[in-house]
Amino acid sequence: MNVLKLIILGQPRTGESTLARILSEELGFPIVCTDKYRREWGFHEPWKGYDTEISFHNRKKFYQKLLELYESYDNLILEGSAIHPDDLSLF
């Protein structure tokens, strides 16, 4: 079985959700929105003036939970702005 996981990241309001929705419709893959889970799991916090940031001390906990979710799918589209570019290699 082929496994394909797409990661679409960007600054808030730059079209990641729109692109993910289009690809999901075309490929039939589920979408995992990092921003949704950041709020749901209580990691949404103002930090350094940005309300979409996760503070450095909470980043690892958030990524651990997100990685568990990510690994539970064979095919998926991971999208949002809640992953720091320096940490993309974790996924």
Side-chain angles (χ1 to χ4, degrees), residues 59-73:
R59 226 188 267 170
K60 186 175 180 180
K61 292 177 201 170
F62 175 72
Y63 291 158
Q64 286 172 336
K65 288 185 70 115
L66 190 60
L67 196 53
E68 287 174 18
L69 181 64
Y70 175 86
E71 289 175 345
S72 71
Y73 289 90

Side-chain angles (χ1 to χ4, degrees), residues 12 16 18 20 32 34 52 56 61 71 82:
E16 338 49 79
T18 301
V32 171
T34 62
T52 60
F56 183 76
K61 292 177 201 170
E71 289 175 345

Side-chain angles (χ1 to χ4, degrees), residues 75-87:
N75 299 303
L76 82 119
I77 300 168
L78 180 72
E79 71 87 11
S81 60
I83 297 176
H84 193 278
D86 292 345
D87 301 322

Side-chain angles (χ1 to χ4, degrees), residues 8-20 35 79-81:
I8 303 169
L9 302 175
Q11 294 296 316
R13 297 179 185 17
T14 58
E16 338 49 79
S17 297
T18 301
L19 178 58
D35 302 325
E79 71 87 11
S81 60

